[in-house]
Amino acid sequence: MPKFESIDHLREYRRQLIAKRDPNQPQVLVCAGPGCLPMGSEEVAAAFREELEKNGLAAQVLLKECGCHGLCAGAVRVLIRPQEITYQHVTPEDAAEIVEQTLKEGQVVDRLIYEDLHTQEKAAYKGEIPFFKGQMPIVLRKLDVIDPTSLDDYLALGGYRALRKALLEMKPDEIIDAIEKSGLRGRGGGGFPTGRKWRICQDALDEPKFIICNGDEGDPGAFMDRAVMEGDPHAVLEGMIIGARAIGASKGYIYVRHEYPLAVGRLQLAIQQAQESGFLGKNILRSGFDFDIKISRGAGAFVCGEETALIHSMEGFIGEPRPRPPYPVQAGLFGKPTVINNVETWANVPEIINLGADWYAGIGTENSKGTKVFSLVGAVNQTGLVEVPMGTTLRQIVYDLGGGLRQDREFKAVQTGGPSGGCIPGQFLDLPVDYDSLQSVGSIMGSGGMIVMDTSSCMVDVARYFINFLYQESCGKCTPCREGLKNLLFLLDEIIHGRGTEEQLALMEELCGTMAAASICGLGKSAVNPVLSTMKYFREEYLAHIREKKCPALVCRPLLKYTVDPETCTGCLACVRECPVGAISGKKKMAQEIDQELCVKCGLCYEACQFDAVKIE
Amino acid sequence: MVNLTIDGRAIQAPKGKTILEVADANGIFIPRLCYHPALKPIGACRICVVEVKPGPPRPIPACATPVTEGMEVNTTSERLQQIRDELMKLVLINHAMECPICDKGGECELQDLTHALAVEKVDLEAVKLAPNPDYESLFVERHPDRCVTCGRCVHICRDHVGAMGINFMQRGYFTELGSGALPLDCEFCGSCIDICPVGALINKLWKYRARAWEVEKTETACPFCGGGCTYELHTRDGRILRVRNEESILLCSRGRFGFPVVEAPDRLKTPLIKENSNFREATWDEALDLVAAKFKEIAESAGPNAIYGVGSARATNEANYLFQKFFRQGLGSNQLDNPGRYTYIQALRGLAAVFGAPQVSGVEAATTPPQPYQSPLTPGEGAQGSGFPFVLGHFEDLPKADLALVLGADVTPEMPPLGWKLLRALDNENFRLVLANPRGTKFDRYAHLSLRYKPGTERILLAGLFKAFLAANPDWTPAVSAKGLEDFKESFKKVTLKDVAAKTGVDETLIQETAALLAQAQAPAIICGTELLAQDKGEQNALALADLFLLIGKPGTPGSALYPVAEKNNTRGVCEAGVMAEHLPGYGHLEKAARGLPLPEMLDKLEAKDEAAPQALYLLGGDLLRMVPHRSRTEKLLKKVPFLVVQDAFLTDTAKLAQVVLPVAVHAEQEGTFISSDGTLGVLAQALSTNGVRPDWQIIGQLGERLGYKLGASHPKQIFRELAKTSPLWAGLGPKGSYPLMPGEVTGTFVPFEVDLSLPGRRPYTLIVGKALNHSGSFTTHGPEGTLKVTPRAEMLINPDDAKNLGLTDGDPAKITSSQGEISAPVVLAPEMPPGVVFLPEHFAAPPVHLLTLNSNLVRVTIQKG
């Protein structure tokens, strides 16, 4: 990789790079994203390598391990180009068949392609699959086609073109104008207008200034930023360099959690490549601008995703937030003006510069522009990463992209925005998703977690789950969050155990009000969302727990009652053998009985019974 | 100024102040728990939330929000009251409600706040945390279950003391105050106790001895170092129960826990007279009559010069002034000096050589009626001064410096308040700290450059620094008028950086980097300590530093000054009160011929059996045996003196040699003043009765009466007025004020210094004799209930590898031998000690470290197991 001394040099290199590449060259692109990697994508890639060599195709066919392909429900995924055939659930054993059938014969391997659960229609090509059809990938665009370890791959797809433009054709003010005009808002959850943030920092008088990329993604079930850092690290770097140019920073940091070793490795490699080719360091592309990036690793505390706690952690202190103002744009890292944006925000920047603010502002809703990446998980059929324009309805995401609920269960709620988001009930399925609409129904955009729940979820239990998570992750600095979360957890536990009272519901509401008003940082302020939203939309469920001592979703174990239906019981004694406390008794081949005093409600008998004779109330 | 309204009241406030500060200043009370005026806002408790327009829709903390123009603040809305009520409940559910057995009762901020906010009931409940109390730690009892997690203790310990001895463990709901699962191992300053709003941190000395409202409070000056702190003694029934600093909360271990020395069981209660080599108790009249008769006899037979006086850095200005008056006016001799001769006076002499003796003009008599301890002189319009006092800095200004070079001082043990000020200076990101010391010290952690030189090579290092500086800045002009730079440059002709690096062990580049920092500094400060001044060539060391300051200093710029450590509470005062062989009070001029013998020369005369050797010694405190190098010689010589009178609170090693011992009052038992290291006037107020002992000034006065001298000693206030009248340098000085108060015209002359190694002996290890954090001279070693508990004995710090080679492990006794003598001390393995260098504190009676020394606090020794 040469060091680019000038624009012409870069342009010429890119031209040659593209010229060298045959657009019709067969390619096997194995997904090595967060969903596929643990399912064995390395083994799949190895099997392909072996098969290609065996068939003498190693030279003709390009084999790559790429970033996330999106539809994680089909892990491990393999994309065959140029036909854009996408295979799912691929195992190493399937490699031979795909090489033989598809690469040599041009045939589709039917058993490995997508099949619609409802219509049983099959789809071999990426463009035919509903999950992909409804999307508009900007940030995720390159993830399934580039090798994240290859700068050439990034350059061939127009990488660092935006940087060139920003450095040599635009003044810092113009860059900020563009970002402001694009309407880009922070994708980390707060939704603060990115351009305005940059402007304030640019106007700050103090020197030096810093750029931070917040890669401390900590929401359970969310992996948007991880996928981007692992799959397209140069896009993040390019965005940061452009941002640095705009505000006049000479040093940038990427804060990534230590639990993302692959992301750390990929970013480190990308930084090294960018330094070697002159995109980072002194006098970038001969523009006279100096900027460099370092990685700062976090230890995985959820609260360190909060900007002031993140800065504290980077400075070597305990990861605790501090009161704002001053905001980081005024006094951030080491007390200096600092722009801190999350991974997805930075990855949007090059595209905005490339394609223009007007293009970006044309996507989305009035106050929320562009696209948003969601990690769609939970009770939907097609789980994975989706990127849709702002304003797409929840119904489109859940039913069109997500393929509806598993086992055709009834939709109950979708929880957005990570642990401190709210649960949105079915009545809002047609809600266009953007910052403001989510807030209006008591939830938040957050960084883009989206957990779909069906009727088998108990909303009290869901609230308790998230409150427990936040209680574990609260840093403990401020009173309302530290003590409030424990009290909410205590009260929810009371309800789940059938000891709750209606007064306690009022108490919880009051407590939530104080926490939201008085906590230092977003963790405590928004921690109340799961409780308030479930109490608002699923109040009957709470009341059922309290008044009737029943859990309608049959989730809260302390409220369940296991009985044996004497009609259906065959007396096989399978349940007797499983019961850990000897609560089941009865004669062989006769109906059994469960001693409610002894029963610990573990559910083993229910699972052991072959005849559905064990009933839950 | 910005205009705002708080609860509808129009208020003008300075820019940059927080809402809480402005409210406090205007008598509007906003409830708070974690906020403390001595600390930066923490913002953890959220109880001070207020509503602000224009502003965010949610309430914001008043403690952390600066006021802005046009701001409308509401501190009492219903919503706020509800939030506060709720927050209080949240705090209270996890606060161990053991008020009857909690020693904080009556001064508990949580109690007061619960009362003020009228919290009715706590209808929340949650799992209680394990109490995990700590009864083991010295002085501090910890009850984490009473902690409200405000973070004050953590902040004061980390940001203001720099000890980081206490921190939060775990996190979230389980956040617990602690120091691992171990007892505290810190500086034991106890600042955490007094900053704690509740009873989570309890003062063990105070516990259950009185309720907060039962004590009498007396503001007085701290006697445990020259730092000049003022604090409050809390007394009841004639006993000190605790000591507090209400303002900054900060006190050091000696300040806060040193007071039991007042009640030490070995305090002298009556005068002692030696008969047949044994002391017997005597009445005051008996003892004073005897001393007066003896002095009269000697003065008549051998002349007034045969009686020699040694003043005290522990005694007040008034006692010392009266003491020199006793000699000069009464006896008619100038044969007196003070033990600062071995340390601080070396600094004064070095500084005076470069910056000249003090000269003051334009001082006039004050027209306002005299206040107690207020100088009767005032700097008139156009008053001006010159000379070395005008390059000595005030601690308050140190944080304004942008560089501090600390040479030969372990700052915190030598003077804790100086360390606190350095930490404040470090708040300024442009501040640079250069630390030069033969061994690792606390401030290495904060230093931008650390120069680890070999002991005794200070002046070689400084010569290298001059060389590197002048090479890099050949056309440098000092900020003030300075003579002799060319000749001075010439004196380094033979110095090469390579040679300096080889001799000092400090890298050439490090010396050059230091020189570069010094050249950039706009307000450089230089700090040096007793470790540097107590060397045989301490005066040369001070001279070199004075030259350096003349070269790089910016006199007149706040913070840019010299800060030599004046070790004891009145080390500076005893000199200014005139207890010096060569000066009258206020550094008044004395003809050369009239000057007395400096202390070391007096000892030489005794050794030489010279005619001029004194026949009587009058010691105003000061355990010479314990602080003067070469103890065996000092002892031998003092034994030769026919008549020795010692005034002291304890029967010190030196007092044991005396014929008459007169017991004196200590700080809490008398009035008077001290001059701190930075020229601040500390005023003692009497909090306890004297119980039969007498203040120094009174004893001197009564002795004078018996000899027919008219010393005019009616009261310390009156003595102070007389003293201050003789000291134009003090013009305008009053309680807690710092002098000089008139502008100074600083000029100087470069004086070449001796570029040589001073390290006596030829043995393999270098012993540094220095200060321990928990002791002040030998004073604190008498109080078994005080800081003696923390540092009960002298332990020798040694590099772990050295110890290994010697077959020594932690706690093993080592035999330490020098050319002068031999002692035994237990060793402590200390990684901060470089190989070949060991350290012993000097405070203790056993082992007497000065048995090893010759003429310096450095000596070469052999170490053996056993």
Side-chain angles (χ1 to χ4, degrees):
Chain A
M1 178 63 44
K3 181 160 181 146
F4 297 110
E5 298 285 350
S6 69
I7 302 309
D8 293 340
H9 188 183
L10 174 61
R11 192 177 292 147
E12 185 52 33
Y13 183 85
R14 197 196 307 274
R15 195 177 9 238
Q16 284 179 14
L17 198 63
I18 294 168
K20 262 194 291 187
R21 295 195 166 189
D22 173 6
N24 294 317
Q25 185 189 17
Q27 296 180 13
V28 177
L29 307 171
V30 181
C31 173
C36 290
L37 203 57
M39 297 295 282
S41 51
E42 278 172 324
E43 289 79 3
V44 171
F48 270 107
R49 195 166 295 119
E50 203 178 300
E51 283 303 320
L52 290 172
E53 265 169 30
K54 220 190 273 173
N55 287 286
L57 292 170
Q60 291 104 294
V61 178
L62 188 62
L63 174 70
K64 278 199 255 186
E65 289 174 66
C66 302
C68 182
H69 286 198
L71 185 43
C72 304
V76 173
R77 305 198 70 84
V78 175
L79 181 66
I80 308 291
R81 292 182 86 187
Q83 304 95 314
E84 301 269 317
I85 300 170
T86 165
Y87 290 122
Q88 54 186 25
H89 300 302
V90 180
T91 60
E93 292 74 43
D94 299 327
E97 195 180 347
I98 294 174
V99 171
E100 190 60 37
Q101 293 280 323
T102 312
L103 293 171
K104 286 171 105 175
E105 309 289 332
Q107 301 290 317
V108 170
V109 181
D110 258 10
R111 66 179 183 85
L112 292 173
I113 61 172
Y114 172 85
E115 185 188 307
D116 192 288
L117 278 169
H118 301 101
T119 60
Q120 268 74 44
E121 262 177 51
K122 292 205 165 197
Y125 302 99
K126 197 179 158 189
E128 295 175 346
I129 299 173
F131 181 84
F132 294 111
K133 262 198 288 189
Q135 292 196 48
M136 183 177 187
I138 294 175
V139 171
L140 302 180
R141 183 172 64 91
K142 304 189 285 301
L143 251 60
D144 60 354
V145 292
I146 64 169
D147 173 357
T149 63
S150 162
L151 177 55
D152 275 351
D153 267 22
Y154 186 68
L155 290 175
L157 285 175
Y160 289 110
R161 199 175 262 161
L163 176 65
R164 191 209 65 202
K165 192 171 164 189
L167 284 187
L168 302 157
E169 294 168 22
M170 298 170 87
K171 293 199 182 83
D173 274 332
E174 291 170 348
I175 301 175
I176 298 180
D177 285 344
I179 300 296
E180 263 184 341
K181 216 168 130 196
S182 74
L184 177 65
R185 289 169 67 176
R187 295 290 190 251
F192 191 83
T194 306
R196 199 190 308 163
K197 188 185 274 188
W198 293 14
R199 180 82 67 202
I200 302 170
C201 194
Q202 189 200 30
D203 291 345
L205 295 173
D206 209 358
E207 293 280 342
K209 291 171 184 170
F210 294 109
I211 288 273
I212 296 177
C213 170
N214 181 351
D216 190 67
E217 182 175 53
D219 302 0
F223 56 101
M224 299 77 57
D225 293 348
R226 176 183 189 166
V228 173
M229 289 187 283
E230 287 179 4
D232 196 4
H234 279 288
V236 181
L237 301 191
E238 192 177 354
M240 289 177 70
I241 307 169
I242 294 169
R245 167 66 169 177
I247 65 155
S250 60
K251 219 172 209 170
Y253 295 90
I254 305 178
Y255 187 89
V256 204
R257 45 180 49 217
H258 194 65
E259 295 103 307
Y260 281 5
L262 191 60
V264 173
R266 293 267 163 85
L267 286 166
Q268 221 135 31
L269 179 67
I271 290 172
Q272 194 192 331
Q273 288 168 340
Q275 285 166 340
E276 284 166 5
S277 10
F279 296 123
L280 281 176
K282 296 261 174 226
N283 199 4
I284 297 170
L285 295 178
R286 288 246 175 117
S287 61
F289 173 60
D290 306 336
F291 182 65
D292 216 340
I293 295 178
K294 270 191 186 159
I295 289 180
S296 178
R297 272 184 285 186
F302 180 68
V303 72
C304 287
E306 198 278 338
E307 55 185 16
T308 59
L310 184 151
I311 287 169
H312 260 209
S313 163
M314 280 182 63
E315 289 172 340
F317 293 105
I318 296 173
E320 282 178 354
R322 60 156 176 77
R324 299 176 300 180
Y327 291 90
V329 279
Q330 302 156 320
L333 186 64
F334 305 118
K336 298 296 176 185
T338 304
V339 158
I340 172 163
N341 280 124
N342 97 320
V343 172
E344 194 185 329
T345 318
W346 289 120
N348 266 304
V349 169
E351 298 297 335
I352 295 172
I353 298 296
N354 265 331
L355 298 170
D358 293 334
W359 161 77
Y360 197 83
I363 307 166
T365 61
E366 195 186 342
N367 289 319
S368 304
K369 299 298 185 189
T371 57
K372 176 77 192 90
V373 183
F374 292 101
S375 83
L376 182 62
V377 295
V380 282
N381 284 309
Q382 307 297 350
T383 54
L385 283 191
V386 299
E387 184 172 359
V388 291
M390 293 279 188
T392 307
T393 64
L394 281 172
R395 188 183 299 282
Q396 281 171 305
I397 296 172
V398 173
Y399 286 94
D400 299 351
L401 272 59
L405 276 79
R406 255 184 239 158
Q407 296 163 10
D408 278 331
R409 287 220 181 101
E410 199 187 322
F411 174 91
K412 188 165 187 180
V414 56
Q415 204 260 1
T416 67
S420 29
C423 293
I424 305 171
Q427 71 207 72
F428 297 117
L429 264 176
D430 290 312
L431 185 81
V433 175
D434 64 24
Y435 289 102
D436 312 309
S437 63
L438 286 178
Q439 204 146 22
S440 70
V441 295
S443 187
I444 54 170
M445 177 77 88
S447 59
M450 194 172 270
I451 304 172
V452 179
M453 286 171 275
D454 61 26
T455 43
S456 70
S457 294
C458 165
M459 299 317 283
V460 183
D461 180 61
V462 165
R464 188 204 173 272
Y465 171 83
F466 286 116
I467 291 300
N468 186 44
F469 173 85
L470 293 163
Y471 152 73
Q472 305 276 352
E473 291 293 344
S474 163
C475 78
K477 181 173 178 177
C478 71
T479 313
C481 179
R482 180 184 67 240
E483 307 290 338
L485 279 167
K486 176 69 189 181
N487 273 280
L488 282 182
L489 186 64
F490 174 82
L491 293 168
L492 287 165
D493 269 336
E494 292 286 284
I495 296 172
I496 279 170
H497 281 84
R499 298 190 291 259
T501 62
E502 282 173 59
E503 291 77 54
Q504 284 179 341
L505 284 186
L507 211 56
M508 269 164 62
E509 256 169 51
E510 202 178 298
L511 197 54
C512 286
T514 301
M515 287 172 64
S519 295
I520 295 184
C521 79
L523 195 155
K525 282 193 176 94
S526 58
V528 300
N529 288 339
V531 177
L532 287 180
S533 63
T534 51
M535 274 174 40
K536 182 169 174 194
Y537 300 124
F538 302 93
R539 198 171 184 86
E540 311 76 51
E541 211 164 332
Y542 278 89
L543 292 175
H545 283 73
I546 292 168
R547 289 183 188 154
E548 294 146 42
K549 313 288 177 213
K550 277 196 173 134
C551 174
L554 304 180
V555 172
C556 301
R557 283 227 167 105
L559 299 183
L560 303 185
K561 189 177 171 193
Y562 288 84
T563 53
V564 179
D565 177 9
E567 302 292 306
T568 22
C569 179
T570 63
C572 71
L573 304 189
C575 57
V576 179
R577 281 190 290 274
E578 284 294 319
C579 181
V581 290
I584 311 177
S585 57
K587 286 187 181 137
K588 201 173 177 184
K589 297 197 174 157
M590 300 282 278
Q592 304 294 307
E593 207 175 330
I594 299 176
D595 184 340
Q596 295 300 331
E597 292 282 297
L598 290 177
C599 178
V600 291
K601 295 158 187 181
C602 67
L604 286 172
C605 55
Y606 179 78
E607 283 159 29
C609 184
Q610 308 279 320
F611 308 98
D612 282 343
V614 179
K615 303 286 178 200
I616 315 175
E617 292 166 20
Chain B
M1 295 300 261
V2 293
N3 298 290
L4 70 155
T5 65
I6 300 183
D7 296 335
R9 238 178 83 188
I11 285 169
Q12 261 207 339
K15 220 177 154 187
K17 292 272 172 203
T18 63
I19 298 174
L20 191 68
E21 285 168 333
V22 173
D24 277 353
N26 288 279
I28 299 168
F29 176 70
I30 301 175
R32 80 287 304 269
L33 189 55
C34 71
Y35 170 82
H36 192 284
L39 303 176
K40 282 188 198 154
I42 300 168
C45 76
R46 319 305 284 174
I47 286 171
C48 70
V49 285
V50 292
E51 284 166 349
V52 165
K53 273 190 253 173
R58 57 183 182 276
I60 52 172
C63 69
T65 310
V67 291
T68 52
E69 182 64 37
M71 191 180 241
E72 288 172 36
V73 183
N74 184 340
T75 73
T76 55
S77 77
E78 205 173 307
R79 179 173 172 227
L80 290 174
Q81 284 175 6
Q82 195 201 328
I83 287 172
R84 287 187 193 131
D85 188 61
E86 190 92 7
L87 287 171
M88 283 302 291
K89 287 180 192 172
L90 288 172
V91 170
L92 289 170
I93 47 165
N94 241 324
H95 179 76
M97 294 289 195
E98 44 191 31
C99 302
I101 60 162
C102 177
D103 198 46
K104 198 76 173 187
E107 53 182 352
C108 171
E109 292 177 40
L110 186 62
Q111 259 184 3
D112 294 348
L113 200 59
T114 307
H115 192 261
L117 294 176
V119 180
E120 290 283 348
K121 62 177 183 351
V122 180
D123 46 8
L124 298 164
E125 48 186 314
V127 184
K128 288 267 187 260
L129 296 169
N132 291 340
D134 161 25
Y135 297 104
E136 303 286 308
S137 298
L138 289 172
F139 300 130
V140 187
E141 199 175 285
R142 285 181 294 164
H143 295 271
D145 55 337
R146 296 178 191 163
C147 173
V148 292
T149 327
C150 67
R152 283 186 193 175
C153 56
V154 176
H155 280 243
I156 199 163
C157 188
R158 183 188 71 201
D159 302 340
H160 293 256
V161 182
M164 296 171 222
I166 197 163
N167 216 323
F168 285 127
M169 312 193 298
Q170 324 286 1
R171 65 167 184 177
Y173 187 73
F174 300 98
T175 304
E176 182 183 329
L177 150 83
S179 52
L182 301 164
L184 285 174
D185 179 14
C186 61
E187 295 183 8
F188 292 100
C189 71
S191 300
C192 55
I193 297 172
D194 286 349
I195 201 94
C196 180
V198 293
L201 293 158
I202 294 289
N203 183 337
K204 281 184 170 176
L205 295 187
W206 159 258
K207 189 181 175 187
Y208 288 170
R209 292 180 68 183
R211 306 311 302 253
W213 59 84
E214 295 174 334
V215 292
E216 247 180 86
K217 298 178 183 176
T218 312
E219 190 182 83
T220 189
C222 178
F224 294 115
C225 84
C229 295
T230 299
Y231 59 34
E232 278 182 359
L233 295 174
H234 290 199
T235 54
R236 195 176 75 153
D237 302 334
R239 298 184 70 189
I240 303 174
L241 301 182
R242 68 171 169 187
V243 171
R244 293 184 67 155
N245 177 352
E246 297 290 348
E247 217 168 288
S248 75
I249 302 296
L250 286 171
L251 285 176
C252 68
S253 56
R254 302 171 219 167
R256 198 180 311 271
F257 301 120
F259 69 84
V261 75
V262 174
E263 294 184 0
D266 57 342
R267 273 289 297 275
L268 292 174
K269 294 176 185 73
T270 60
L272 300 174
I273 293 175
K274 198 176 265 173
E275 279 177 5
N276 309 322
S277 357
N278 282 321
F279 282 118
R280 70 161 174 87
E281 291 186 355
T283 64
W284 275 103
D285 281 341
E286 212 180 340
L288 289 171
D289 286 347
L290 175 61
V291 175
K294 269 299 207 185
F295 279 180
K296 197 169 179 185
E297 182 191 317
I298 293 169
E300 278 169 7
S301 63
N305 283 348
I307 302 172
Y308 192 91
V310 180
S312 166
R314 192 72 74 198
T316 61
N317 290 320
E318 293 68 27
N320 279 303
Y321 174 78
L322 212 62
F323 186 69
Q324 66 86 34
K325 197 173 176 187
F326 178 90
F327 276 82
R328 294 202 160 107
Q329 223 179 73
L331 276 166
S333 106
N334 285 310
Q335 295 299 355
L336 76 171
D337 207 4
N338 77 69
R341 183 63 62 185
Y342 292 90
T343 53
Y344 190 66
I345 295 177
Q346 308 231 51
L348 295 184
R349 291 175 60 88
L351 291 178
V354 170
F355 295 103
Q359 300 280 337
V360 175
S361 64
V363 164
E364 47 201 47
T367 48
T368 46
Q371 297 293 309
Y373 302 110
Q374 179 77 38
S375 168
L377 302 180
T378 187
E381 216 163 303
Q384 210 180 28
S386 66
F388 72 84
F390 292 86
V391 294
L392 295 176
H394 296 151
F395 291 161
E396 278 313 310
D397 293 334
L398 182 59
K400 294 176 194 151
D402 66 349
L403 176 140
L405 169 68
V406 181
L407 189 74
D410 184 358
V411 178
T412 297
E414 289 215 13
M415 194 171 284
L418 186 55
W420 305 332
K421 290 295 178 218
L422 263 189
L423 283 172
R424 291 287 62 75
L426 282 156
D427 281 346
N428 171 6
E429 52 172 323
N430 296 320
F431 177 79
R432 292 288 171 272
L433 178 61
V434 183
L435 212 59
N437 200 296
R439 60 199 171 103
T441 62
K442 171 174 151 184
F443 275 89
D444 275 308
R445 178 193 305 152
Y446 304 97
H448 298 90
L449 290 179
S450 275
L451 282 59
R452 189 80 65 244
Y453 61 82
K454 293 177 187 159
T457 63
E458 288 84 0
R459 290 187 308 283
I460 301 174
L461 177 68
L462 284 168
L465 207 50
F466 277 113
K467 187 85 182 178
F469 186 95
L470 294 167
N473 308 281
D475 303 321
W476 182 269
T477 324
V480 296
S481 153
K483 285 183 219 146
L485 182 56
E486 288 312 310
D487 291 345
F488 187 64
K489 280 184 187 170
E490 205 56 19
S491 71
F492 302 113
K493 217 171 161 186
K494 285 188 189 147
V495 176
T496 67
L497 275 192
K498 209 173 147 195
D499 193 35
V500 168
K503 282 182 179 157
T504 60
V506 180
D507 237 28
E508 270 181 63
T509 48
L510 210 51
I511 298 173
Q512 282 161 336
E513 275 177 56
T514 307
L517 282 182
L518 293 180
Q520 281 163 22
Q522 294 308 305
I526 296 178
I527 296 169
C528 70
T530 325
E531 272 179 46
L532 192 75
L533 301 173
Q535 291 177 16
D536 56 335
K537 292 193 175 171
E539 186 181 330
Q540 286 290 317
N541 289 338
L543 182 63
L545 285 178
D547 283 329
L548 184 62
F549 188 73
L550 180 59
L551 187 69
I552 58 145
K554 306 276 188 285
T557 308
S560 185
L562 278 157
Y563 300 84
V565 169
E567 181 197 352
K568 295 199 177 114
N569 50 335
N570 210 22
T571 296
R572 189 165 167 182
V574 60
C575 298
E576 308 215 338
V579 188
M580 271 172 91
E582 68 270 51
H583 281 302
L584 298 174
Y587 299 118
H589 183 68
L590 201 56
E591 289 301 328
K592 241 185 192 144
R595 290 177 189 175
L597 289 170
L599 185 49
E601 283 175 38
M602 182 277 285
L603 291 175
D604 291 346
K605 299 272 184 217
L606 277 174
E607 188 165 43
K609 296 185 179 142
D610 194 291
E611 269 179 21
Q615 296 186 20
L617 275 185
Y618 182 9
L619 305 188
L620 192 58
D623 190 354
L624 292 185
L625 288 192
R626 217 181 282 189
M627 53 197 175
V628 173
H630 203 166
R631 178 180 167 118
S632 54
R633 172 180 181 255
T634 316
E635 186 166 2
K636 194 180 76 193
L637 299 178
L638 290 186
K639 278 182 177 163
K640 282 186 177 178
V641 179
F643 188 65
L644 181 62
V645 182
V646 173
Q647 262 175 232
D648 207 313
F650 297 97
L651 192 60
T652 61
D653 293 352
T654 309
K656 281 176 192 156
L657 304 178
Q659 273 67 47
V660 181
V661 182
L662 304 169
V664 300
V666 294
H667 61 288
E669 299 160 343
Q670 60 176 324
E671 259 191 47
T673 62
F674 300 143
I675 295 290
S676 76
S677 194
D678 74 335
T680 304
L681 184 73
V683 178
L684 284 180
Q686 187 175 354
L688 304 176
S689 69
T690 49
N691 285 323
V693 299
R694 292 179 184 177
D696 283 303
W697 66 268
Q698 203 173 24
I699 302 169
I700 300 162
Q702 288 166 348
L703 209 50
E705 261 171 46
R706 282 172 167 75
L707 287 162
Y709 305 156
K710 290 198 169 65
L711 300 180
S714 62
H715 194 275
K717 288 191 185 81
Q718 167 262 325
I719 304 172
F720 176 86
R721 275 183 66 76
E722 189 182 320
L723 160 62
K725 217 174 191 169
T726 66
S727 309
L729 203 54
W730 290 8
L733 184 66
K736 292 203 233 177
S738 309
Y739 72 92
L741 287 157
M742 68 286 291
E745 168 83 33
V746 175
T747 58
T749 309
F750 287 100
V751 182
F753 57 90
E754 296 168 25
V755 184
D756 60 348
L757 172 80
S758 54
L759 183 55
R762 290 190 174 279
R763 292 165 187 258
Y765 290 91
T766 305
L767 169 70
I768 303 174
V769 176
K771 313 291 170 198
L773 174 61
N774 291 296
H775 291 290
S776 167
S778 62
F779 194 26
T780 43
T781 63
H782 292 281
E785 295 304 314
T787 45
L788 193 61
K789 274 190 173 171
V790 189
T791 312
R793 58 180 182 171
E795 290 171 322
M796 186 176 74
L797 305 184
I798 185 168
N799 178 282
D801 289 337
D802 284 349
K804 206 173 154 194
N805 294 338
L806 292 163
L808 290 165
T809 53
D810 256 332
D812 282 355
K815 202 165 81 182
I816 310 145
T817 318
S818 76
S819 55
Q820 310 310 314
E822 182 185 297
I823 62 168
S824 174
V827 301
V828 172
L829 306 195
E832 71 268 23
M833 299 304 296
V837 182
V838 293
F839 175 88
L840 264 170
E842 68 176 1
H843 315 278
F844 301 90
V849 291
H850 282 300
L851 274 181
L852 299 174
T853 55
L854 177 64
N855 53 5
S856 166
N857 65 330
L858 300 178
V859 65
R860 288 205 179 260
V861 293
T862 315
I863 299 167
Q864 282 171 294
K865 199 171 174 169

